[in-house]
Amino acid sequence: MDYIKNLKQSEEFEYWLGADDDQIHYIEKELNIKLPKQYKKFLSQCGMCNFGDVNILGIAKDENSITYPLVEVTKQMREEVNLPNDLIVLSYEVGEYLTLYKVSINQELEDNAIYGANVKYDDEKMNIDKIEELFSSFEEYFEDFIELGY
């Protein structure tokens, strides 16, 4: 899939510069995972993107700086809600909802399923409800994201 081409079809989408192999490897090293090939392709083309306040996390890179929101939010959720190590956070609606991507700890998959989970609070402690499959692939998830802009 040509992710950038799809994002350029609407001026409502924002995206960053594509990541290089070292930056993608940094994510894998920091989270101790192997990213699926489809998500690596997305990262290499547009880093991350958003439509209004809805986003797909990744690498925020421009000519002057680089940050890793995917790493930051995934580590935060691992700590706060004991998110399993084989899931990364693609989107987080603060205090409401997580969109999660199934990854492998030790092998590079072609693609994998996308899951969702409601965020809830019990006695001031954040938890997540049952994790349910939303899409069978990253590509399917991205196509649904693109429909927001039309």
Side-chain angles (χ1 to χ4, degrees):
M1 171 176 281
D2 188 337
Y3 294 102
I4 277 289
K5 180 181 174 186
N6 283 293
L7 291 168
K8 286 182 175 179
Q9 290 180 19
S10 170
E11 292 179 10
E12 300 297 317
F13 293 107
E14 295 179 323
Y15 53 90
W16 282 254
L17 295 175
D20 63 31
D21 289 341
D22 289 340
Q23 292 155 351
I24 292 169
H25 181 70
Y26 175 82
I27 290 174
E28 292 179 319
K29 185 178 171 216
E30 283 295 303
L31 297 177
N32 197 28
I33 57 163
K34 295 289 184 187
L35 295 169
K37 290 178 184 176
Q38 274 304 313
Y39 186 64
K40 286 181 177 182
K41 185 176 180 181
F42 167 80
L43 291 173
S44 70
Q45 290 183 17
C46 56
M48 62 184 267
C49 61
N50 66 283
F51 176 78
D53 62 354
V54 178
N55 56 46
I56 299 177
L57 295 176
I59 298 172
K61 175 182 169 184
D62 62 24
E63 293 83 10
N64 304 311
S65 66
I66 182 168
T67 60
Y68 296 86
L70 173 76
V71 172
E72 295 162 17
V73 175
T74 297
K75 283 184 173 182
Q76 177 189 356
M77 291 300 106
R78 284 179 177 177
E79 186 177 307
E80 291 184 20
V81 300
N82 294 318
L83 185 70
N85 289 342
D86 64 347
L87 292 170
I88 58 173
V89 180
L90 289 182
S91 183
Y92 177 36
E93 294 171 44
V94 178
E96 292 182 23
Y97 197 77
L98 290 169
T99 303
L100 307 164
Y101 194 16
K102 182 88 165 164
V103 297
S104 175
I105 303 299
N106 52 23
Q107 72 182 63
E108 182 185 53
L109 304 171
E110 182 63 38
D111 203 351
N112 216 339
I114 306 293
Y115 295 84
N118 288 314
V119 175
K120 62 181 185 169
Y121 291 87
D122 295 326
D123 299 323
E124 305 286 324
K125 186 175 179 339
M126 186 167 62
N127 295 297
I128 53 176
D129 271 345
K130 180 181 169 194
I131 297 172
E132 299 181 311
E133 186 172 325
L134 301 174
F135 302 98
S136 62
S137 68
F138 181 80
E139 201 167 297
E140 187 181 321
Y141 167 67
F142 184 81
E143 288 170 358
D144 186 73
F145 176 80
I146 289 296
E147 287 180 20
L148 291 172
Y150 300 116

